[in-house]
Amino acid sequence: KQEVTQIPAALSVPEGENLVLNCSFTDSAIYNLQWFRQDPGKGLTSLLLIQSSQREQTSGRLNASLDKSSGRSTLYIAASQPGDSATYLCAVLHSGAGSYQLTFGKGTKLSVIP
Amino acid sequence: GAGVSQSPSNKVTEKGKDVELRCDPISGHTALYWYRQSLGQGLEFLIYFQGNSAPDKSGLPSDRFSAERTGGSVSTLTIQRTQQEDSAVYLCASRKTGGTEAFFGQGTRLTVV
């Protein structure tokens, strides 16, 4: 059974710092890994998608890496801003029960202090 | 449409009543997921539809929960005889076929009183 773990569960940093969020998964047979952002009381916003054949993806101040063989991904946020405060979730798309399952970690709650 | 649309955005219901939650996926997306997120918790998988294939219902917590997807587009999640523990945000997501990006709606916040 695929399990996704995110560490740390919560993180507080001063504005301007660079930071790294971690995601690990137990079964390396994935199709892709996706990072999401969730603001309080809202749905999930897709940030970055990394296909299983890729090593990293970048969007603006965000960079996500994937090491499929070791079951790890990191989300790097450069020059953090108070508007980055949110919960960050990673999810892997994989086969399971005859379907494409999308399994989530429990998220990292990020607070960026002005 | 431009994105995944869910309705209603908020629903308050009395214990024991039935509720229906609606999801309109992005046009052309063949895969559709329902998740539940209880307060302060992670996302709990409920059900997955892929085209005309039989849905993966392995995440439905009890037989009070059911879902349909008519014509491969709109989906309805029905909860019968609601209980207080059903209170949560119900999220819907859709994808194109294959290993593609998932997009989520804004969710329906269900409160059972």
Side-chain angles (χ1 to χ4, degrees):
Chain A
K1 178 185 173 186
Q2 178 74 266
E3 294 183 356
V4 179
T5 303
Q6 292 188 246
I7 294 174
L11 180 64
S12 183
V13 300
E15 180 177 3
E17 273 204 5
N18 303 324
L19 60 101
V20 174
L21 307 180
N22 297 292
C23 172
S24 62
F25 46 97
T26 54
D27 186 345
S28 63
I30 65 171
Y31 296 104
N32 64 43
L33 184 144
Q34 199 167 350
W35 282 94
F36 294 88
R37 167 186 174 136
Q38 186 176 32
D39 293 287
K42 303 292 185 183
L44 278 66
T45 300
S46 179
L47 297 174
L48 288 165
L49 172 76
I50 310 178
Q51 298 292 353
S52 61
S53 59
Q54 297 176 326
R55 299 282 296 183
E56 67 177 327
Q57 283 288 328
T58 298
S59 176
R61 293 183 294 108
L62 305 180
N63 177 277
S65 69
L66 173 64
D67 184 341
K68 197 176 77 160
S69 61
S70 68
R72 295 181 182 181
S73 176
T74 62
L75 179 66
Y76 174 83
I77 302 177
S80 58
Q81 302 171 357
D84 295 331
S85 298
T87 296
Y88 291 80
L89 296 150
C90 71
V92 294
L93 185 68
H94 62 99
S95 292
S99 69
Y100 285 89
Q101 297 204 340
L102 190 59
T103 300
F104 282 82
K106 294 188 183 301
T108 294
K109 185 175 182 179
L110 173 65
S111 299
V112 181
I113 312 302
Chain B
V4 179
S5 177
Q6 291 188 245
S7 59
S9 54
N10 284 283
K11 175 73 175 179
V12 180
T13 190
E14 293 181 351
K15 179 181 173 181
K17 299 283 190 183
D18 297 352
V19 294
E20 285 189 352
L21 312 180
R22 178 185 170 105
C23 174
D24 278 280
I26 294 172
S27 178
H29 281 198
T30 58
L32 187 148
Y33 300 80
W34 283 98
Y35 290 85
R36 176 168 72 175
Q37 188 175 35
S38 301
L39 188 63
Q41 301 299 308
L43 269 73
E44 176 189 3
F45 167 74
L46 297 177
I47 189 168
Y48 165 65
F49 294 91
Q50 175 62 57
N52 296 321
S53 302
D56 174 2
K57 304 180 181 180
S58 60
L60 294 178
S62 76
D63 59 7
R64 295 187 295 105
F65 288 73
S66 63
E68 290 184 339
R69 190 177 184 192
T70 54
S73 181
V74 171
S75 178
T76 302
L77 178 68
T78 301
I79 309 173
Q80 295 178 312
R81 304 181 302 282
T82 51
Q83 304 294 312
Q84 287 187 329
E85 60 263 28
D86 299 334
S87 296
V89 176
Y90 289 81
L91 292 161
C92 174
S94 71
R95 287 191 305 108
K96 286 183 181 178
T97 191
T100 53
E101 191 173 6
F103 294 90
F104 277 79
Q106 289 300 297
T108 293
R109 181 176 298 278
L110 176 66
T111 304
V112 182
V113 297

